[in-house]
Amino acid sequence: MKQLERVKIDEFKAHFRGDVLLPGDADYDDVRKIWNGMFDRRPAIIARCVGTSDVLNAVNFARVNNLLVAVKGGGHNSAGNAVCDDGIMIDLSLMRRVNVHPKKKTLRVDGGALLGDMDYETQLHGLAVSGGGIVSHTGVGGLTLGGGFGWISRKHGLAIDNLISAEVVTADGKLVTASADENPDLFWGIRGGGGNFGIVTSFEFNCVAIGPEVYSGLIVKKFEDAKAYMQFHREYVRSLPDDMTAWMVVRHAPPLPFLPKGVHGKMVVVVPFVWLGDEARGAQLVQPIREATTSHGEAIGMNPWVGWQSGFDGLVEHGARNYWKSHHVKELSDDCIDRIVEFAETMPSDEIEVFIPHMEGAPSRVPDNTTAFAHRKTPFVLNIHTRWRNASDDERCLAWARDFHRATEPFAQGVYVNFLSDEGEDRVKEAYTQEVWDRLVQVKKKYDPNNLFRMNQNIKPV
Ligand SMILES: Cc1cc2nc3c(=O)[nH]c(=O)nc-3n(C[C@H](O)[C@H](O)[C@H](O)COP(=O)(O)OP(=O)(O)OC[C@H]3O[C@@H](n4cnc5c(N)ncnc54)[C@H](O)[C@@H]3O)c2cc1C
């Protein structure tokens, strides 16, 4: 740090309630870490905010000193935007309060909270936020600003469809409310446009009643029948009521206790599901999945909602190297299935998942352009979640993911902004329709004309 900067930092610290960390400070290396181990960036300064005034001070400090800004919510995004080299990391991870209003069935949650924080507090009252993801250490902030889907979003909508309002610190250091009544253009933009327009210090959501247990589970299908199973699945899930969500994950079998030992590490098609109804009817709906092709095993029953929401955490812990390539897929045609099976056969790491969630339902019934989230009617997502441990495997794993992605491009129709890597502006545009993109640019021009918030899937104000 140069002498002048040191003086400025001391001045900044004087009005900052949280910790200000500099390279060499005790917690600096821990706090700059994010979920994706591919990123080892070193901010010049980390502002660990404990409240809205800290966020406001940090934004003003960054703007006045012309610093590159990275905002860390849960730090989960595979693109690595939560941390920058040089510049300032505005870290929200100490801001995790959740206040549930059980009578109104609403909640207010801080911008740095994790999905697990929200799940535990809402379940105390038999509630949940729809669209709140499937891994409990994901951040509410990044997830919501990109859209947010989960096990019950087919029934109850995306996270943004349940958002009532948000408190936002804008680039000019103002604290504003974004809701249907206040700053509606900003409210529209933050529902799908990511962190482009400001830092959300708190979100207010509508909740839905759920649990405490849900009929849910996993059926593990033999990979030899992958094509036949996928042909069945693509039709069957589209015939199901919105209360039932069944997805596919193609991967090497983890050492799940209900699988014979010989299956561990073998390529399989996992079919996880959640049914929001009584057990008997759930069992009837699962039966065709069981019968479609041969299974290696299954674990099905009434599971606590909170437990189910964190049941997959262990497979995607922090620290591994990750590279995501994704599309929305307009149909799982035979050709598309052939490409999936072909690339699964050459998977370069045991931890890779090809995640194929079914998206249709309540989100598709929201009229286009109500929010900035586009491609609401596309039935499936194909997420190539490439994950490995050693830097020496980088080239092999990246090449596999890129080739797979290219081979499935003919079946693509847009992309979910939260599943993008650092792929350039043209790819960010693919997350939106032209009409939505043009409108996002206008909102960006109004709220962040100098592009202070650009460590994200960036919408330039031009
Ligand atoms: C293992 C795993 C599972 C996932 N599962 C799902 C899923 O089921 N459903 C789903 O919809 N998505 C899922 N995602 C994607 C997830 O929604 C995105 O990665 C999301 O960006 C994570 O948010 P975060 O706050 O943890 O990330 P961060 O990396 O902290 O932030 C992501 C982006 O959002 C910005 N940001 C974060 N918080 C704020 C805030 N409060 N105000 C302003 N900007 C902010 C950051 O600056 C950054 O640009 C998953 C991701 C992973 C890694």
Side-chain angles (χ1 to χ4, degrees):
M1 275 296 139
K2 284 180 279 179
Q3 204 53 40
L4 177 66
E5 284 170 342
R6 173 64 70 182
V7 171
K8 282 182 182 169
I9 288 167
D10 288 344
E11 205 176 293
F12 172 53
K13 273 181 169 175
H15 302 283
F16 196 82
R17 292 192 299 133
D19 286 334
V20 174
L21 303 178
L22 303 176
D25 284 349
D27 294 336
Y28 174 84
D29 281 325
D30 268 347
V31 178
R32 74 183 173 89
K33 272 192 198 134
I34 58 169
W35 175 78
N36 189 349
M38 291 284 273
F39 296 94
D40 182 26
R41 294 181 178 149
R42 302 180 64 81
I45 175 167
I46 300 177
R48 301 208 80 191
C49 304
V50 295
T52 301
S53 71
D54 279 353
V55 175
L56 217 134
N57 281 334
V59 167
N60 286 336
F61 180 73
R63 190 188 57 254
V64 169
N65 293 290
N66 207 12
L67 296 174
L68 178 64
V69 177
V71 179
K72 182 181 178 186
H76 230 257
N77 196 284
S78 62
N81 287 319
V83 62
C84 53
D85 273 326
D86 308 318
I88 184 168
M89 177 195 237
I90 302 181
D91 171 32
L92 308 179
S93 64
L94 298 177
M95 293 175 57
R96 289 172 58 174
R97 272 172 319 177
V98 183
N99 289 314
V100 183
H101 198 310
K103 281 208 181 107
K104 281 166 59 187
K105 294 197 174 149
T106 61
L107 100 155
R108 187 166 280 287
V109 53
D110 279 357
L114 303 182
L115 297 180
D117 300 326
M118 211 161 63
D119 288 334
Y120 271 94
E121 298 304 324
T122 50
Q123 264 300 278
L124 275 180
H125 309 281
L127 300 172
V129 173
S130 181
I134 61 166
V135 169
S136 76
H137 44 80
T138 311
V140 173
L143 175 129
T144 303
L145 294 168
F149 73 94
W151 293 109
I152 58 172
S153 49
R154 269 174 33 74
K155 170 77 175 171
H156 296 294
L158 301 172
I160 50 170
D161 301 333
N162 292 283
L163 188 66
I164 304 168
S165 71
E167 297 296 302
V168 187
V169 174
T170 52
D172 55 0
K174 292 204 175 84
L175 177 64
V176 300
T177 300
S179 69
D181 301 324
E182 288 182 71
N183 302 300
D185 51 353
L186 180 61
F187 187 52
W188 177 85
I190 60 167
R191 288 178 294 162
N196 269 285
F197 313 106
I199 301 183
V200 177
T201 52
S202 77
F203 297 89
E204 186 190 10
F205 288 104
N206 276 315
C207 302
V208 296
I210 191 170
E213 292 185 328
V214 286
Y215 187 70
S216 51
L218 305 174
I219 304 173
V220 179
K221 295 286 176 187
K222 288 194 170 167
F223 184 71
E224 293 86 301
D225 308 322
K227 181 166 184 179
Y229 181 74
M230 289 183 196
Q231 285 172 324
F232 155 80
H233 184 99
R234 71 182 173 199
E235 311 295 336
Y236 185 60
V237 292
R238 299 187 77 180
S239 73
L240 288 167
D242 294 347
D243 311 67
M244 173 81 168
T245 295
W247 294 341
M248 289 190 286
V249 183
V250 185
R251 61 163 298 145
H252 291 88
L256 298 166
F258 64 88
L259 290 178
K261 280 217 165 62
V263 177
H264 298 173
K266 271 187 133 182
M267 185 61 66
V268 292
V269 179
V270 183
V271 185
F273 75 89
V274 166
W275 159 247
L276 299 175
D278 69 81
E279 199 170 342
R281 178 71 185 127
Q284 281 173 359
L285 291 171
V286 166
Q287 196 54 28
I289 299 179
R290 283 196 178 110
E291 288 168 2
T293 58
T294 320
S295 307
H296 284 299
E298 61 177 44
I300 295 178
M302 295 301 291
N303 294 302
W305 173 245
V306 172
W308 180 257
Q309 281 287 87
S310 54
F312 301 95
D313 287 7
L315 293 174
V316 285
E317 279 166 353
H318 283 249
R321 303 176 82 76
N322 292 274
Y323 181 64
W324 287 22
K325 291 289 281 182
S326 189
H327 314 285
H328 282 290
V329 180
K330 53 186 176 241
E331 54 164 346
L332 283 172
S333 63
D334 286 357
D335 279 353
C336 182
I337 291 173
D338 284 341
R339 297 295 87 73
I340 295 169
V341 173
E342 210 173 283
F343 277 88
E345 279 165 349
T346 59
M347 240 179 219
S349 147
D350 281 2
E351 293 190 66
I352 294 174
E353 292 187 345
V354 181
F355 173 47
I356 310 170
H358 173 222
M359 306 292 284
E360 289 161 307
S364 348
R365 292 190 287 273
V366 173
D368 285 345
N369 303 344
T370 305
T371 65
F373 184 92
H375 310 302
R376 283 179 172 273
K377 295 186 174 62
T378 320
F380 297 102
V381 162
L382 173 64
N383 193 30
I384 304 164
H385 174 185
T386 322
R387 186 175 164 88
W388 66 103
R389 295 286 158 172
N390 298 317
S392 56
D393 291 327
D394 284 5
E395 211 175 303
R396 209 160 55 94
C397 290
L398 293 175
W400 176 85
R402 287 177 181 143
D403 290 348
F404 188 177
H405 189 253
R406 206 170 303 117
T408 47
E409 252 163 23
F411 319 105
Q413 189 171 58
V415 62
Y416 177 30
V417 72
N418 274 348
F419 285 180
L420 280 172
S421 291
D422 185 1
E423 301 175 52
E425 184 178 302
D426 284 347
R427 277 289 283 159
V428 181
K429 278 187 178 167
E430 285 180 32
Y432 307 102
T433 59
Q434 187 62 48
E435 195 180 341
V436 168
W437 178 260
D438 292 344
R439 203 165 150 191
L440 282 167
V441 171
Q442 294 311 314
V443 181
K444 180 76 175 179
K445 269 187 190 167
K446 179 169 167 188
Y447 290 95
D448 186 16
N450 296 315
N451 209 4
L452 182 71
F453 302 114
R454 57 184 180 279
M455 287 290 296
N456 43 40
Q457 300 299 346
N458 196 225
I459 299 158
K460 290 200 184 81
V462 286

